[in-house]
Amino acid sequence: MSRLVSPLFAGREEELAGLLAAHEASADGTPKITLIGAEAGGGKSRLVREFTARVRGSARILQGSCLELSEAGLPYAPFAAALRDVVREYGADGVAGLVDEYAARELARLLPTLGVPADDAEPQLAKARLFEALLRLLERLAEERPVVLVVEDLHWADAGTRDLVAFLVPNLCSTRVQLVTTYRTEDLADGHPLRAMLGRVERLGGVTHAVLARLNRDQVAAQLEGMLGRPADPSVVNEVLARGGGVPLFTESLVDADGSLRTELPTSLRDLMLQVVGELPDAAQQVVRAAAVGGTRVSHPLLARVTGLPDAELNAALRAAVGGQVLSRDPGGYAFRHQLIRAAVEDDLLAGESAGLHRAYAEALTEDPGLEPDDLWAPVGLALHWHGAREPERALTAAWTAAAEAARQLAYPEQVRMLDQVLALWPVAPDAAAAIGVDRGTVLEAAADAACWAADTTRGLELVEEGLRELGPDGDPETRARLLLERAYVRLQVMLPGELDDLREAVEVAAKPTVVRAEALGQLARTLIRRDECAQARPLATEELALAEQIGEPEYAVEAQVVLARIDARQGRDVLPALAETVRRARGLDLGGLELMAYAALVEAHTATGAHAAAITTGHEGLRRTAQLGLARFGAANIAQGLAEALTAEGRWDDALAVVDDALALDPTAFGRAQLLVFRGRIAIDRGEVEAAIRVADELRQLIGETPSPFVLPLAELDIELALAAGDPAGASAALTDAVGDRLVMASPRYAWPLLCIAARAAVDAGDTAALDRLGSIAGDAERPGPVAAAYAASFAAEVSRAAGANPALWDEAAAAWTAPHPRAYALMRAGAAYAALGDREAAGDRLREAAALAEPLRAEPLLDQLNLLARRVRVELGAGARAHSEAARVPFQLTERELEVLALVAAGRSNREIAGELFISAKTASVHVSNILAKLGVASRGEAAATAHRLHLFEPA
């Protein structure tokens, strides 16, 4: 199976820039030498290819590789290859003409086609003469144009090649020659002759030594996106990084064309991994095989017990394995340098060999668990080793014990893994229920719950469905209620229909005053809040609080208090002290999930009151707690979306995007992903990154499907913005009706007001008075809790007023209501336009300048385009930053004043003849202007040009 190759060169931008800068310097007569080291597959050859492709037009590329010595490689092989290219271009006589006949005869030692080598009258000086001849040739070639000499795989170089490189480095004086060499870092064991040479030359002037690091997660994601032509699934990125370690070659080998992980290593890659191990001494190979069965890492005492080798022999074998770049030192033990090496070695073991090693590990850990210092890995490893040793009963009981320890440490993925092993062994272990003291249904329920906490929603849904099938409709009501609650939660996270039905049935069947009913009440109340049905949620949360106090379960009392505080916050009440107290109570009770829920609610409450600095501080604190609790994948998205909202409102858009990207990298559930994508889409549209915003909208649409969700309104908002950006106000107005219908009436102010404002803008632009009337009716009934909702309400009133003409006072009120820079800048821009329409140029200029000062740091390109165009029309000066933007955009698309006039008439639907009449120019001149406009806008028709003009609001009065 062939591997994919990314056309996108990811992760080596800095090194490539360094090579290009060195090339510029060498082209100016300052020779530069770059030594590039990397492990096998680390990207050094790709880096060289990318570099030479960029400079090939301005430089002569001479390139050759050293041959592996085990293949009896020729001396000076890379220089012979480079010289061969010169001979192909100039011919033997031409080469002699470049240097002289005597030097050409010296070069014939590398390439016989150049003639008969000179007599070795002084053989001890023959090498020196050859080196001088090659240097002379490079100098003459560089007189014509700059030369880039590439010597690859220097780790395989013969002594002569190493000496020649060492000679060239200090002697390429004042020549336009750039020398680039590559070598494998893992092949430079102690005593390798290249080590000494590198140490000598890297201290010389003009020499740069770059060792390529492995790619980080973002770089692996970029490489995968280049390979697939679309962003890879975050779970695939995480798994590829874990298995491939950030080695570019491994990344390319681990993914199929459809973006899925390959279940087996490609044969070529597996052979490469095994070849590395096969080069070790026999004793080291034996230790490596034992270590492969031990897992990702293995402690020294445990490996010593399993191998049974004396200390001296074990240490010698380990030293060879470490020196051979197969193992690396780890605190207290050893780890594989590449997990792919471990996988290949383990897969290569014979069945009996594998079972025997697993038994040795299991017996060692049973006798002395302290051989494995990790408190969690000791029981987990014991369970896995008994399984590998084909001891089902011992593997089952060990897995049950390990699952309990994993739950205690909040290591939910490991808990799922262990409970899956229990379920897999259930049919073959004798009397499994008696062995662990619970029935299979209880194990299913525990596994489903663990999968939910681990955010493994696919596995969680499988387990819940299996549990419900086994229980049947007449099974224990409380067990059924618990499974229904699990299924409802999973359905929420994967955004499948049926969540509300499950919750209502759970409340119905859990009729007794127990913790199950309390949990059902709380989960249903939270769901109703997400659906903006707070009136129904309040009595449920009130009952949960009373029930928690009745049965003495403070966990559910804290949950009810969080729910009630969220309801109160949406009604404008001050809930900050109450929510801060719930955070403290949850932490004091060691309730990690509830603590994170309280943090998310507290961030939301701060943001709703406009206290963005407090929201940011609280959000960062909450994210730190997700990591401390081991619940980052479970709880980070909920807190991160609130933090991103606060950062966005503060104008810290880059910081908001960083928070979103970090949270998305954790591979959250579909619900969590949708929470985060909303902010990525908003910032993209406000920065004019239309293609990125379209991708976000498409993904949100796919995630939401037909499921009722709080993301319907943000998606509608984004769709309207995209329609406006495309110059389609009628389509924007229709998007509101198509997407949300009557849902907007019931929406919480948090989601309703942003949509009302953008919908009003679309309705005014489209001249849709019916839509404006409908929106006005909804806005009249909408609640306005807190200053943020009040600011939106002021913007809505100003937006609606545009239908009747310029009203600067309303836009001034809206601008004054906002602290967030972008909506404030937008309101100031509208106010400036309104004052300009009334002829008050001074007032218009003041507002436009302030708006530009706010928009420039945000890089809000569409708003800046509008401001610059409006400033030109009003003839006022904006700030220096906005002027720079104006110069870069050339107001916009480098349109001249006359072309702007023509475009205005094109947008108004005028023909060329009508344009000529209005501007007192010939029809032919009008046609030329229109053609120039289409070319500058990059559009194909007058209709597209008109759409662009509408999108940028080029010619509207206010």
Side-chain angles (χ1 to χ4, degrees):
M1 185 181 296
S2 63
R3 63 185 174 90
L4 301 174
V5 178
S6 172
L8 176 68
F9 187 50
R12 306 298 187 209
E13 295 83 2
E14 183 177 345
E15 292 83 358
L16 179 58
L19 282 171
L20 292 170
H23 176 67
E24 290 182 9
S26 66
D28 289 337
T30 304
K32 292 292 182 182
I33 296 89
T34 305
L35 315 173
I36 303 172
E39 58 192 305
K44 54 190 182 299
S45 295
R46 175 69 184 273
L47 173 61
V48 168
R49 286 200 305 274
E50 292 288 335
F51 164 64
T52 55
R54 283 166 169 76
V55 302
R56 192 172 298 279
S58 61
R60 184 191 310 277
I61 309 298
L62 302 178
Q63 193 163 2
S65 298
C66 302
L67 302 178
E68 192 170 0
L69 293 180
S70 61
E71 298 177 1
L74 297 174
Y76 304 112
F79 295 100
L83 184 58
R84 192 174 293 111
D85 286 341
V86 177
V87 172
R88 286 195 188 101
E89 181 177 352
Y90 287 88
D93 292 342
V95 171
L98 284 172
V99 284
D100 54 47
E101 184 178 352
Y102 184 79
R105 292 180 64 192
E106 293 297 335
L107 292 174
R109 300 179 189 276
L110 298 180
L111 205 62
T113 56
L114 288 174
V116 179
D119 294 335
D120 285 340
E122 299 176 287
Q124 68 274 18
L125 298 179
K127 180 185 287 189
R129 293 197 301 269
L130 171 62
F131 289 7
E132 290 289 350
L134 185 62
L135 177 62
R136 173 64 175 156
L137 176 63
L138 291 172
E139 290 173 340
R140 290 301 309 277
L141 290 171
E143 290 173 3
E144 297 180 2
R145 57 178 171 148
V147 172
V148 174
L149 175 61
V150 179
V151 179
E152 293 206 72
D153 298 324
L154 204 55
H155 51 282
W156 286 330
D158 59 281
T161 296
R162 290 193 301 272
D163 289 345
L164 181 46
V165 171
F167 167 80
L168 289 174
V169 170
N171 287 292
L172 291 172
C173 302
S174 302
T175 59
R176 297 192 300 168
V177 178
Q178 179 181 9
L179 175 61
V180 178
T181 70
T182 70
Y183 68 93
R184 283 188 190 173
T185 52
E186 70 268 31
D187 282 8
L188 301 193
D190 291 343
H192 193 292
L194 185 59
R195 279 181 175 271
M197 192 208 86
L198 292 176
R200 290 196 304 272
V201 302
E202 68 181 345
R203 293 190 293 270
L204 301 175
V207 177
T208 301
H209 191 179
V211 177
L212 304 184
R214 295 183 180 184
L215 303 185
N216 60 31
R217 188 191 183 283
D218 290 342
Q219 293 164 338
V220 169
Q223 184 184 1
L224 288 172
E225 182 171 355
M227 291 163 54
L228 302 173
R230 57 176 173 76
D233 186 276
S235 62
V236 172
V237 177
N238 292 339
E239 185 64 22
V240 166
L241 181 61
R243 292 175 62 188
V247 178
L249 175 66
F250 296 171
T251 296
E252 293 174 346
S253 302
L254 289 171
V255 178
D256 282 323
D258 63 357
S260 61
L261 281 167
R262 289 181 174 171
T263 55
E264 297 182 356
L265 287 179
T267 302
S268 58
L269 184 57
R270 181 177 178 274
D271 291 346
L272 175 63
M273 300 294 98
L274 293 176
Q275 178 185 349
V276 173
V277 176
E279 294 172 353
L280 299 176
D282 289 344
Q285 292 185 44
Q286 176 188 347
V287 170
V288 166
R289 286 193 289 271
V293 173
T296 303
R297 59 167 300 282
V298 60
S299 72
H300 184 91
L302 181 57
L303 190 59
R305 180 75 64 89
V306 169
T307 60
L309 291 173
D311 286 347
E313 292 182 28
L314 176 61
N315 288 334
L318 285 168
R319 184 171 293 279
V322 170
Q325 302 294 309
V326 173
L327 297 180
S328 60
R329 296 179 180 87
D330 193 73
Y334 304 91
F336 278 84
R337 184 170 178 82
H338 296 295
Q339 283 307 302
L340 293 180
I341 297 179
R342 190 189 76 80
V345 171
E346 189 175 23
D347 185 60
D348 195 52
L349 293 173
L350 300 174
E353 188 179 16
S354 174
L357 285 168
H358 276 297
R359 181 175 294 278
Y361 274 106
E363 290 174 346
L365 287 171
T366 300
E367 181 180 339
D368 184 3
L371 291 171
E372 173 50 67
D374 190 309
D375 290 342
L376 178 57
W377 181 244
V380 169
L382 182 62
L384 294 174
H385 290 311
W386 280 128
H387 193 198
R390 303 172 189 170
E391 292 278 0
E393 185 173 8
R394 301 178 83 169
L396 180 139
T397 56
W400 182 249
T401 301
E405 178 59 26
R408 188 186 70 79
Q409 296 192 33
L410 306 180
Y412 296 110
E414 287 300 336
Q415 185 187 5
V416 175
R417 184 183 185 188
M418 291 294 95
L419 292 174
D420 274 342
Q421 178 166 311
V422 172
L423 292 168
L425 293 171
W426 199 273
V428 295
D431 201 1
I436 64 174
V438 299
D439 61 19
R440 190 170 183 275
T442 303
V443 178
L444 281 169
E445 185 183 341
D449 186 59
C452 290
W453 282 100
D456 187 353
T457 49
T458 301
R459 182 60 181 146
L461 189 58
E462 292 172 352
L463 291 163
V464 170
E465 297 285 9
E466 187 176 353
L468 285 169
R469 283 194 302 271
E470 287 202 5
L471 182 66
D474 300 324
D476 176 64
E478 294 214 336
T479 300
R480 181 171 183 79
R482 287 195 298 268
L483 289 169
L484 287 168
L485 293 175
E486 294 286 2
R487 187 168 70 179
Y489 176 78
V490 175
R491 282 175 163 171
L492 164 68
Q493 296 302 323
V494 297
M495 301 180 77
L496 289 174
E499 175 203 4
L500 199 57
D501 293 337
D502 280 347
L503 292 174
R504 285 178 171 151
E505 183 181 351
V507 171
E508 181 181 345
V509 299
K512 297 179 180 178
T514 65
V515 293
V516 178
R517 180 167 182 80
E519 184 177 348
L521 290 167
Q523 195 167 329
L524 178 55
R526 296 199 309 273
T527 297
L528 290 170
I529 290 176
R530 280 193 300 273
R531 294 169 180 250
D532 300 316
E533 298 175 17
C534 294
Q536 294 184 46
R538 184 180 289 278
L540 295 169
T542 302
E543 182 184 348
E544 181 188 15
L545 181 58
L547 180 57
E549 294 172 353
Q550 176 187 341
I551 62 178
E553 291 287 346
E555 173 180 352
Y556 299 101
V558 173
E559 180 185 45
Q561 288 163 348
V562 173
V563 171
L564 290 169
R566 290 186 64 195
I567 296 171
D568 288 342
R570 294 192 178 193
Q571 295 174 349
R573 298 187 180 93
D574 181 12
V575 297
L576 296 175
L579 283 174
E581 178 59 27
T582 60
V583 170
R584 287 190 290 270
R585 284 196 66 193
R587 184 176 300 186
L589 294 168
D590 199 21
L591 302 172
L594 277 179
E595 183 183 346
L596 300 183
M597 185 192 303
Y599 263 117
L602 188 55
V603 173
E604 179 183 335
H606 278 307
T607 302
T609 63
H612 300 132
I616 291 167
T617 299
T618 303
H620 281 302
E621 183 181 325
L623 286 181
R624 284 193 294 271
R625 284 296 289 163
T626 68
Q628 292 167 2
L629 293 167
L631 296 173
R633 189 173 177 221
F634 168 80
N638 202 25
I639 296 173
Q641 63 93 19
L643 174 56
E645 183 174 9
L647 288 166
T648 302
E650 280 282 278
R652 295 168 56 181
W653 289 4
D654 290 333
D655 290 342
L657 289 174
V659 167
V660 166
D661 289 342
D662 288 346
L664 287 172
L666 296 170
D667 188 22
T669 62
F671 186 87
R673 186 168 182 81
Q675 286 179 297
L676 297 162
L677 286 174
V678 166
F679 296 97
R680 181 182 278 180
R682 286 177 181 170
I683 293 175
I685 200 71
D686 286 337
R687 280 187 166 165
E689 298 165 355
V690 175
E691 291 299 322
I694 290 173
R695 288 196 298 271
V696 169
D698 289 344
E699 184 173 355
L700 279 173
R701 215 175 327 275
Q702 182 179 4
L703 289 171
I704 293 170
E706 300 300 321
T707 308
S709 117
F711 309 115
V712 170
L713 298 186
L715 175 58
E717 183 184 343
L718 189 54
D719 282 338
I720 293 170
E721 292 266 24
L722 285 168
L724 289 174
D728 183 14
S733 186
L736 172 66
T737 303
D738 293 343
V740 297
D742 291 334
R743 180 170 171 78
L744 184 56
V745 178
M746 301 188 306
S748 73
R750 181 184 186 191
Y751 295 112
W753 279 113
L755 184 53
L756 282 167
C757 286
I758 190 61
R761 185 190 311 177
V764 172
D765 289 352
D768 190 341
T769 56
L772 276 179
D773 290 342
R774 172 70 169 150
L775 292 169
S777 176
I778 296 172
D781 294 334
E783 296 177 353
R784 306 178 186 187
V788 175
Y792 272 118
S795 290
F796 177 83
E799 202 76 70
V800 170
S801 75
R802 289 198 299 122
N807 192 332
L810 287 177
W811 283 113
D812 279 343
E813 289 177 16
W818 281 108
T819 58
H822 188 268
R824 177 174 171 80
Y826 174 79
L828 286 166
M829 184 272 293
R830 289 292 191 190
Y835 279 112
L838 297 176
D840 191 340
R841 183 178 166 208
E842 182 178 353
D846 290 342
R847 284 151 183 81
L848 296 179
R849 279 187 287 272
E850 184 180 350
L854 291 168
E856 178 64 26
L858 302 176
R859 304 199 305 280
E861 300 297 325
L863 183 55
L864 284 165
D865 283 338
Q866 294 178 60
L867 285 165
N868 278 295
L869 288 165
L870 188 54
R872 284 174 62 87
R873 286 165 51 198
V874 180
R875 291 179 173 79
V876 299
E877 282 289 328
L878 301 179
R883 281 198 302 274
H885 174 88
S886 178
E887 281 299 309
R890 305 301 290 178
V891 192
F893 306 110
Q894 300 184 6
L895 296 175
T896 65
E897 290 282 0
R898 175 60 87 183
E899 286 167 349
L900 280 171
E901 291 177 325
V902 173
L903 179 56
L905 294 172
V906 169
R910 302 290 198 274
S911 67
N912 285 352
R913 187 172 299 277
E914 290 170 328
I915 292 171
E918 291 199 33
L919 297 180
F920 302 103
I921 58 177
S922 71
K924 183 177 180 180
T925 301
S927 176
V928 170
H929 282 313
V930 170
S931 297
N932 289 340
I933 290 167
L934 297 183
K936 289 181 178 182
L937 296 182
V939 298
S941 69
R942 299 165 70 94
E944 289 184 63
T948 300
H950 286 301
R951 172 172 60 83
L952 294 176
H953 306 277
L954 299 187
F955 308 115
E956 60 186 43

